[in-house]
Short mmCIF file of all heavy atoms in Angstrom, two decimals:
data_model
loop_
_atom_site.label_atom_id
_atom_site.label_comp_id
_atom_site.label_asym_id
_atom_site.label_seq_id
_atom_site.Cartn_x
_atom_site.Cartn_y
_atom_site.Cartn_z
N LYS A 295 121.70 85.00 108.95
CA LYS A 295 120.80 84.86 110.08
C LYS A 295 120.37 83.41 110.24
O LYS A 295 120.26 82.91 111.36
CB LYS A 295 119.56 85.74 109.89
CG LYS A 295 119.76 87.19 110.14
CD LYS A 295 118.45 87.92 109.99
CE LYS A 295 118.62 89.40 110.22
NZ LYS A 295 117.35 90.11 110.06
N LYS A 299 121.06 81.21 113.46
CA LYS A 299 119.94 80.66 114.20
C LYS A 299 120.08 79.14 114.36
O LYS A 299 119.75 78.59 115.39
CB LYS A 299 118.64 80.99 113.47
CG LYS A 299 117.45 81.04 114.34
CD LYS A 299 116.27 81.60 113.60
CE LYS A 299 115.34 82.27 114.57
NZ LYS A 299 114.19 82.85 113.94
N GLU A 365 111.14 80.54 122.62
CA GLU A 365 111.26 81.02 121.24
C GLU A 365 110.04 80.64 120.41
O GLU A 365 109.52 81.44 119.63
CB GLU A 365 112.54 80.47 120.61
CG GLU A 365 112.81 80.94 119.21
CD GLU A 365 113.15 82.41 119.11
OE1 GLU A 365 113.59 83.00 120.11
OE2 GLU A 365 112.96 82.98 118.01
N LYS A 366 109.56 79.41 120.59
CA LYS A 366 108.36 78.98 119.86
C LYS A 366 107.15 79.80 120.27
O LYS A 366 106.35 80.21 119.42
CB LYS A 366 108.10 77.50 120.09
CG LYS A 366 109.03 76.59 119.33
CD LYS A 366 108.70 75.13 119.57
CE LYS A 366 109.68 74.24 118.82
NZ LYS A 366 109.41 72.82 119.06
N LYS A 367 107.02 80.06 121.58
CA LYS A 367 105.90 80.88 122.04
C LYS A 367 105.97 82.29 121.47
O LYS A 367 104.96 82.87 121.08
CB LYS A 367 105.89 80.95 123.57
CG LYS A 367 105.35 79.72 124.24
CD LYS A 367 105.31 79.89 125.74
CE LYS A 367 104.79 78.66 126.42
NZ LYS A 367 104.75 78.80 127.89
N ARG A 368 107.18 82.83 121.40
CA ARG A 368 107.36 84.17 120.84
C ARG A 368 106.97 84.18 119.37
O ARG A 368 106.29 85.11 118.91
CB ARG A 368 108.81 84.62 121.00
CG ARG A 368 109.06 86.05 120.64
CD ARG A 368 110.49 86.46 120.93
NE ARG A 368 111.43 85.87 120.02
CZ ARG A 368 111.75 86.38 118.83
NH1 ARG A 368 111.21 87.50 118.44
NH2 ARG A 368 112.63 85.78 118.06
N ASN A 369 107.34 83.15 118.64
CA ASN A 369 106.98 83.08 117.22
C ASN A 369 105.48 82.92 117.03
O ASN A 369 104.90 83.50 116.11
CB ASN A 369 107.74 81.95 116.53
CG ASN A 369 109.19 82.29 116.28
OD1 ASN A 369 109.55 83.46 116.23
ND2 ASN A 369 110.03 81.28 116.16
N ILE A 370 104.84 82.13 117.88
CA ILE A 370 103.39 81.96 117.79
C ILE A 370 102.70 83.29 118.07
O ILE A 370 101.77 83.68 117.36
CB ILE A 370 102.92 80.86 118.76
CG1 ILE A 370 103.37 79.49 118.26
CG2 ILE A 370 101.41 80.90 118.95
CD1 ILE A 370 103.18 78.37 119.27
N GLU A 371 103.16 83.99 119.08
CA GLU A 371 102.58 85.30 119.40
C GLU A 371 102.79 86.30 118.26
O GLU A 371 101.90 87.07 117.91
CB GLU A 371 103.19 85.84 120.70
CG GLU A 371 102.51 87.05 121.23
CD GLU A 371 101.07 86.81 121.65
OE1 GLU A 371 100.74 85.68 122.03
OE2 GLU A 371 100.28 87.76 121.57
N LYS A 372 103.98 86.26 117.68
CA LYS A 372 104.29 87.13 116.55
C LYS A 372 103.36 86.84 115.38
O LYS A 372 102.84 87.76 114.74
CB LYS A 372 105.76 86.90 116.15
CG LYS A 372 106.32 87.86 115.16
CD LYS A 372 107.83 87.71 115.14
CE LYS A 372 108.34 87.19 113.86
NZ LYS A 372 109.78 87.13 113.73
N ARG A 373 103.11 85.56 115.11
CA ARG A 373 102.22 85.17 114.03
C ARG A 373 100.78 85.62 114.31
O ARG A 373 100.08 86.10 113.42
CB ARG A 373 102.28 83.66 113.82
CG ARG A 373 101.50 83.18 112.62
CD ARG A 373 101.78 81.74 112.31
NE ARG A 373 103.14 81.51 111.91
CZ ARG A 373 103.60 81.70 110.68
NH1 ARG A 373 102.80 82.13 109.73
NH2 ARG A 373 104.86 81.45 110.38
N LYS A 374 100.32 85.49 115.56
CA LYS A 374 98.97 85.93 115.92
C LYS A 374 98.82 87.44 115.69
O LYS A 374 97.82 87.89 115.14
CB LYS A 374 98.68 85.63 117.39
CG LYS A 374 98.31 84.22 117.68
CD LYS A 374 98.01 84.11 119.18
CE LYS A 374 97.72 82.71 119.60
NZ LYS A 374 97.50 82.62 121.06
N ILE A 375 99.81 88.19 116.13
CA ILE A 375 99.76 89.64 115.96
C ILE A 375 99.74 90.00 114.48
O ILE A 375 98.96 90.84 114.04
CB ILE A 375 100.95 90.31 116.68
CG1 ILE A 375 100.78 90.18 118.19
CG2 ILE A 375 101.09 91.77 116.28
CD1 ILE A 375 102.01 90.57 118.98
N TYR A 376 100.59 89.33 113.69
CA TYR A 376 100.63 89.60 112.26
C TYR A 376 99.29 89.29 111.62
O TYR A 376 98.77 90.09 110.84
CB TYR A 376 101.74 88.77 111.61
CG TYR A 376 101.70 88.81 110.11
CD1 TYR A 376 102.14 89.93 109.41
CD2 TYR A 376 101.22 87.73 109.38
CE1 TYR A 376 102.10 89.98 108.04
CE2 TYR A 376 101.17 87.77 108.00
CZ TYR A 376 101.62 88.89 107.33
OH TYR A 376 101.56 88.93 105.98
N ARG A 377 98.72 88.14 111.94
CA ARG A 377 97.44 87.76 111.34
C ARG A 377 96.32 88.73 111.73
O ARG A 377 95.50 89.09 110.89
CB ARG A 377 97.05 86.34 111.76
CG ARG A 377 97.95 85.29 111.19
CD ARG A 377 97.70 85.10 109.73
NE ARG A 377 98.66 84.14 109.20
CZ ARG A 377 98.95 84.03 107.94
NH1 ARG A 377 98.37 84.80 107.06
NH2 ARG A 377 99.84 83.15 107.54
N SER A 378 96.28 89.16 112.98
CA SER A 378 95.22 90.09 113.37
C SER A 378 95.42 91.46 112.73
O SER A 378 94.46 92.10 112.32
CB SER A 378 95.13 90.21 114.89
OG SER A 378 96.34 90.62 115.44
N MET A 379 96.67 91.90 112.60
CA MET A 379 96.93 93.18 111.91
C MET A 379 96.55 93.06 110.44
O MET A 379 95.98 93.99 109.86
CB MET A 379 98.40 93.57 112.04
CG MET A 379 98.80 94.03 113.42
SD MET A 379 97.99 95.55 113.90
CE MET A 379 98.73 96.69 112.76
N LEU A 380 96.87 91.93 109.85
CA LEU A 380 96.54 91.71 108.45
C LEU A 380 95.03 91.68 108.25
O LEU A 380 94.50 92.28 107.31
CB LEU A 380 97.17 90.41 107.96
CG LEU A 380 97.06 90.11 106.49
CD1 LEU A 380 97.79 91.18 105.68
CD2 LEU A 380 97.65 88.75 106.19
N LYS A 428 98.45 88.81 98.30
CA LYS A 428 99.84 88.39 98.44
C LYS A 428 100.30 88.50 99.89
O LYS A 428 100.99 87.62 100.40
CB LYS A 428 100.75 89.22 97.54
CG LYS A 428 100.71 88.82 96.09
CD LYS A 428 101.72 89.62 95.31
CE LYS A 428 101.81 89.14 93.88
NZ LYS A 428 102.87 89.83 93.16
N LEU A 429 99.94 89.58 100.55
CA LEU A 429 100.30 89.75 101.96
C LEU A 429 99.67 88.66 102.83
O LEU A 429 100.27 88.18 103.78
CB LEU A 429 99.89 91.12 102.47
CG LEU A 429 100.83 92.27 102.18
CD1 LEU A 429 100.23 93.57 102.64
CD2 LEU A 429 102.17 92.06 102.83
N SER A 430 98.45 88.29 102.48
CA SER A 430 97.75 87.27 103.26
C SER A 430 98.38 85.89 103.11
O SER A 430 98.20 85.03 103.97
CB SER A 430 96.29 87.19 102.84
OG SER A 430 95.65 88.41 103.09
N SER A 431 99.12 85.66 102.04
CA SER A 431 99.68 84.33 101.79
C SER A 431 101.09 84.16 102.33
O SER A 431 101.68 83.10 102.17
CB SER A 431 99.68 84.05 100.27
OG SER A 431 100.57 84.92 99.62
N ILE A 432 101.63 85.16 103.02
CA ILE A 432 102.99 85.05 103.57
C ILE A 432 103.00 84.02 104.69
O ILE A 432 102.13 84.01 105.54
CB ILE A 432 103.47 86.42 104.10
CG1 ILE A 432 103.68 87.37 102.94
CG2 ILE A 432 104.73 86.28 104.91
CD1 ILE A 432 104.03 88.77 103.38
N ARG A 433 104.00 83.14 104.66
CA ARG A 433 104.13 82.12 105.70
C ARG A 433 105.21 82.46 106.72
O ARG A 433 105.06 82.21 107.89
CB ARG A 433 104.43 80.76 105.08
CG ARG A 433 103.31 80.25 104.23
CD ARG A 433 102.11 79.90 105.10
NE ARG A 433 100.94 79.69 104.27
CZ ARG A 433 99.78 80.31 104.44
NH1 ARG A 433 99.64 81.19 105.39
NH2 ARG A 433 98.77 80.08 103.67
N LYS A 434 106.32 83.02 106.26
CA LYS A 434 107.40 83.39 107.18
C LYS A 434 107.30 84.89 107.42
O LYS A 434 107.43 85.69 106.51
CB LYS A 434 108.76 83.03 106.57
CG LYS A 434 109.90 83.26 107.51
CD LYS A 434 111.21 82.82 106.93
CE LYS A 434 112.32 83.09 107.91
NZ LYS A 434 113.63 82.89 107.32
N ILE A 435 107.11 85.25 108.66
CA ILE A 435 106.83 86.64 109.01
C ILE A 435 108.13 87.34 109.39
O ILE A 435 108.67 87.14 110.46
CB ILE A 435 105.83 86.72 110.16
CG1 ILE A 435 104.55 86.00 109.77
CG2 ILE A 435 105.55 88.16 110.53
CD1 ILE A 435 103.60 85.80 110.92
N ASP A 436 108.62 88.15 108.46
CA ASP A 436 109.73 89.05 108.74
C ASP A 436 109.71 90.17 107.72
O ASP A 436 108.98 90.10 106.73
CB ASP A 436 111.09 88.34 108.79
CG ASP A 436 111.47 87.68 107.47
OD1 ASP A 436 110.77 87.87 106.47
OD2 ASP A 436 112.49 86.97 107.45
N ASP A 437 110.46 91.22 107.97
CA ASP A 437 110.44 92.40 107.11
C ASP A 437 110.74 92.06 105.66
O ASP A 437 110.08 92.56 104.74
CB ASP A 437 111.44 93.45 107.60
CG ASP A 437 111.04 94.06 108.92
OD1 ASP A 437 109.86 93.94 109.29
OD2 ASP A 437 111.90 94.64 109.58
N GLU A 438 111.75 91.24 105.47
CA GLU A 438 112.20 90.93 104.11
C GLU A 438 111.12 90.21 103.31
O GLU A 438 110.83 90.58 102.17
CB GLU A 438 113.46 90.07 104.18
CG GLU A 438 114.09 89.82 102.83
CD GLU A 438 115.38 89.01 102.95
OE1 GLU A 438 116.00 89.01 104.04
OE2 GLU A 438 115.76 88.40 101.94
N ASN A 439 110.48 89.21 103.88
CA ASN A 439 109.44 88.47 103.16
C ASN A 439 108.22 89.34 102.89
O ASN A 439 107.61 89.24 101.83
CB ASN A 439 109.04 87.22 103.93
CG ASN A 439 110.05 86.12 103.80
OD1 ASN A 439 110.81 86.08 102.84
ND2 ASN A 439 110.07 85.23 104.76
N ILE A 440 107.86 90.18 103.84
CA ILE A 440 106.71 91.06 103.63
C ILE A 440 107.00 92.03 102.49
O ILE A 440 106.17 92.22 101.60
CB ILE A 440 106.36 91.80 104.94
CG1 ILE A 440 105.83 90.81 105.97
CG2 ILE A 440 105.34 92.90 104.68
CD1 ILE A 440 105.65 91.39 107.35
N TYR A 441 108.18 92.62 102.51
CA TYR A 441 108.53 93.56 101.44
C TYR A 441 108.62 92.84 100.10
O TYR A 441 108.13 93.34 99.09
CB TYR A 441 109.85 94.26 101.76
CG TYR A 441 110.26 95.23 100.68
CD1 TYR A 441 109.60 96.44 100.53
CD2 TYR A 441 111.27 94.92 99.79
CE1 TYR A 441 109.94 97.33 99.53
CE2 TYR A 441 111.63 95.79 98.78
CZ TYR A 441 110.96 97.00 98.66
OH TYR A 441 111.31 97.85 97.65
N ASN A 442 109.25 91.67 100.06
CA ASN A 442 109.41 90.94 98.81
C ASN A 442 108.08 90.49 98.22
O ASN A 442 107.95 90.34 97.01
CB ASN A 442 110.33 89.73 98.98
CG ASN A 442 111.78 90.13 99.12
OD1 ASN A 442 112.18 91.22 98.70
ND2 ASN A 442 112.57 89.28 99.73
N SER A 443 107.07 90.27 99.07
CA SER A 443 105.77 89.84 98.55
C SER A 443 105.11 90.92 97.71
O SER A 443 104.36 90.62 96.80
CB SER A 443 104.86 89.42 99.69
OG SER A 443 104.45 90.54 100.42
#
Side-chain angles (χ1 to χ4, degrees):
K295 283 183 181 180
K299 206 170 208 179
E365 182 68 22
K366 284 182 182 179
K367 283 183 180 179
R368 189 176 71 86
N369 285 337
I370 289 169
E371 189 64 28
K372 190 166 114 175
R373 186 170 295 277
K374 281 182 184 177
I375 291 169
Y376 170 75
R377 292 287 176 200
S378 58
M379 288 295 293
L380 187 63
K428 283 185 174 185
L429 277 175
S430 298
S431 67
I432 291 175
R433 295 292 167 234
K434 185 176 179 189
I435 302 169
D436 62 7
D437 291 342
E438 186 177 338
N439 283 336
I440 292 171
Y441 179 74
N442 286 338
S443 71

